[in-house]
Amino acid sequence: MQTPIIQIENLTTRYGEKIVLDQINLDIYPHEVSVILGGSGCGKTTLLKSIIGLVEPDSGTIKLFGELFNKADEQRYTHTLRRIGVLFQNGALLNSISILENVSIPIEQHSRLDKTLIEKIVTVKLQQVNLADSAYLLPSELSGGMRKRAALARAIALDPELLFCDEPSAGLDPLTSENLDKLILTLKEQFNMTIIVVTHELASIHRIADRIIFLDQGKILFMGTLKDAKSCGISEIETFFTTGSF
């Protein structure tokens, strides 16, 4: 049995008095795509943000790579961040600088490499997401799909072992969404990444998911393979895979 790359125990997160995540226990295994599902407000994005440290849990532990992350000191926290990439829902690109400069940001923050070498690394990353000809364009000059790929290039700039994607297909047409899914799977295979995706796109789930984590009212309703999810007998999950909605 593989050792989980992420181990979450008794995780509870609140916004004010509202409990958003309620005693979550979850293991994520290496080299798989785990998809987090659930209705609006169930805690999907909060779970992702809790794992990567953007939201501080009220209680519970989060281990990444076998070490406590949510209670790590600053040095250990920073070291672990270098092993993580995040593709945010809206891309979160800085509009006033070029795509090359956007993708350079994590390398500049976490290394002492000179500008010439950083540009060479970024050029390779842009080639990997099929944006080699767009390095000196601004985000506003790209299509929605290209912006997502640029944001993905930035997320993989440090060759992360863990890649988190929050609604990567949101706002994309079906063909662009399919191509982005294929790119994510290619990166997984080429770089042996572990990928955690928050999405509600049924077609994407069928294309990329190895495991399903289904949240309902802050609790895990189901956790297992895509095949088992589709035959689990849980009405909420059956409804989703039948209709594509919650």
Side-chain angles (χ1 to χ4, degrees), residues 39-78:
S40 178
C42 72
K44 302 186 298 293
T45 297
T46 298
L47 176 57
L48 186 150
K49 289 182 176 180
S50 295
I51 296 172
I52 63 179
L54 293 180
V55 171
E56 185 176 353
D58 287 79
S59 60
T61 59
I62 301 168
K63 287 185 178 180
L64 303 185
F65 313 108
E67 297 185 353
L68 277 175
F69 183 60
N70 63 313
K71 298 181 181 180
D73 60 33
E74 184 175 354
Q75 182 177 4
R76 176 55 55 185
Y77 180 84
T78 301

Side-chain angles (χ1 to χ4, degrees), residues 217-230:
Q217 297 182 7
K219 294 181 178 291
I220 293 180
L221 190 62
F222 173 86
M223 182 168 52
T225 65
L226 175 60
K227 180 180 178 181
D228 289 343
K230 295 171 70 174

